Amino acid sequence: MKPAICISGLARSRNFNKNLRCLKAAFPDIPMFFSTWEETKNELSEAHGKGTNYYPEPEIHYNPWTECVIDNPHPKYRVYKDNFIKQGEFMPARGKLLNATKQLIAHAYQLADLPEEYDMIIRTRWDTVVSDKLDFTSYLEQSYNEKMAIGFAIRGDRHIRLDKFKDIDHVYIQEDTDHKWSRDWSYWINDNMIFHRRDMYDCDLVHKLHKEKRLWPAEYGWYQLLSVMDNHHCVYGGAALERFTRA
């Protein structure tokens, strides 16, 4: 196993130096690769000089919440779809939601250019905070040895402790499923940080699904691309977006 850290998405962060220090502490000696969109090049991305790869920002030609050829079965996906249809241009966070497939395309661009020697991927974002107090070794080895994608995040109403792991039960969620069960495994992969083998992510398939309006957004899209017969796993703790953590 030869892992690489792949950081992609919009180059924005309120304290990227801290994020970088935490990443280096959590994954010492693992090289980092940076990427973002040509159109959003900024002081942060340029600070890495030749270390950042730039890619053309894709044109989003369909609404991934209402116009996918096939809907994701997750009940929350249907809620988003219904809200889009009812609220239209007044949908809260509409612009952000419409761009929710771009992270999947960004990862495809970056992996296509990654040196072939790296066969294990730690995918994260510029604004992701990783715990520097936890040992990720067992999850990294499990992901590689079992060819299993593992996603990390925190959830305000279920688990907000960055420095404590909590494995999420593998329960299929329907609209009437008891709320004691987490909604963050079924047809979904937590995406604040993701472990996966490189050979699990089909970059050509990403672009094909996007072209055909079949690529699902955000966590649903990661599930679509990385889960084989629902063999993925999700974890609370370990990683979180800056805006959900205390400074």
Side-chain angles (χ1 to χ4, degrees):
M1 175 174 62
K2 188 167 186 178
I5 298 170
C6 294
I7 300 170
S8 60
L10 290 172
R12 61 185 178 190
S13 172
R14 68 189 184 201
N15 194 345
F16 186 67
N17 287 333
K18 175 187 175 183
N19 298 352
L20 207 54
R21 288 196 303 271
C22 290
L23 267 175
K24 290 178 179 179
F27 306 105
D29 304 320
I30 297 180
M32 299 184 190
F33 297 85
F34 305 87
S35 73
T36 190
W37 305 120
E38 292 175 351
E39 293 81 356
T40 58
K41 183 184 297 186
N42 60 25
E43 185 176 335
L44 177 56
S45 65
E46 287 288 87
H48 296 279
K50 295 182 179 179
T52 298
N53 284 353
Y54 294 97
Y55 301 105
E57 190 167 2
E59 178 183 350
I60 302 303
H61 60 290
Y62 71 104
N63 184 328
W65 304 93
T66 63
E67 297 175 342
C68 273
V69 174
I70 300 174
D71 287 350
N72 181 286
H74 197 295
K76 189 175 180 181
Y77 181 92
R78 291 197 290 273
V79 171
Y80 275 111
K81 181 173 183 175
D82 291 343
N83 286 342
F84 256 111
I85 292 171
K86 292 175 183 176
Q87 301 179 42
E89 294 184 1
F90 299 100
M91 175 75 176
R94 182 175 186 273
K96 174 185 172 184
L97 290 168
L98 289 175
N99 289 319
T101 56
K102 288 183 179 179
Q103 59 185 285
L104 305 154
I105 300 169
H107 194 52
Y109 278 136
Q110 189 173 30
L111 286 195
D113 285 343
L114 189 70
E116 293 184 5
E117 63 196 274
Y118 298 103
D119 60 357
M120 183 64 197
I121 306 301
I122 300 169
R123 179 267 171 186
T124 186
R125 298 168 35 148
W126 296 80
D127 60 344
T128 290
V129 181
V130 171
S131 173
D132 58 358
K133 297 179 175 61
L134 295 175
D135 186 351
F136 292 90
T137 304
S138 62
Y139 286 118
L140 203 59
E141 292 177 347
Q142 181 183 19
S143 177
Y144 185 82
N145 293 333
E146 299 181 26
K147 207 169 183 178
M148 171 194 291
I150 302 179
F152 300 82
I154 63 173
R155 177 69 70 186
D157 58 346
R158 289 188 179 272
H159 186 93
I160 60 172
R161 297 179 62 182
L162 178 66
D163 298 323
K164 182 177 178 60
F165 291 132
K166 180 180 179 181
D167 293 296
I168 298 175
D169 293 308
H170 294 191
V171 177
Y172 291 96
I173 300 300
Q174 305 298 328
E175 291 184 9
D176 59 351
T177 301
D178 193 308
H179 277 269
K180 72 178 181 180
W181 301 110
S182 169
R183 269 59 183 156
D184 298 333
W185 174 81
S186 183
Y187 313 111
W188 166 294
I189 294 180
N190 284 344
D191 66 353
N192 296 174
M193 179 172 67
I194 299 175
F195 295 169
H196 71 84
R197 283 174 52 141
R198 182 178 186 162
D199 59 9
M200 294 175 63
Y201 201 80
D202 189 332
C203 299
D204 292 334
L205 178 61
V206 176
H207 298 299
K208 183 176 186 291
L209 292 174
H210 172 66
K211 181 179 179 181
E212 296 174 354
K213 301 183 180 181
R214 293 193 292 134
L215 183 61
W216 289 334
E219 290 93 343
Y220 308 107
W222 292 110
Y223 164 82
Q224 181 183 26
L225 292 161
L226 287 171
S227 184
V228 180
M229 301 295 290
D230 291 326
N231 71 331
H232 65 288
H233 184 56
C234 293
V235 181
Y236 288 137
L241 300 186
E242 290 174 342
R243 66 178 182 271
F244 298 130
T245 63
R246 294 176 182 174

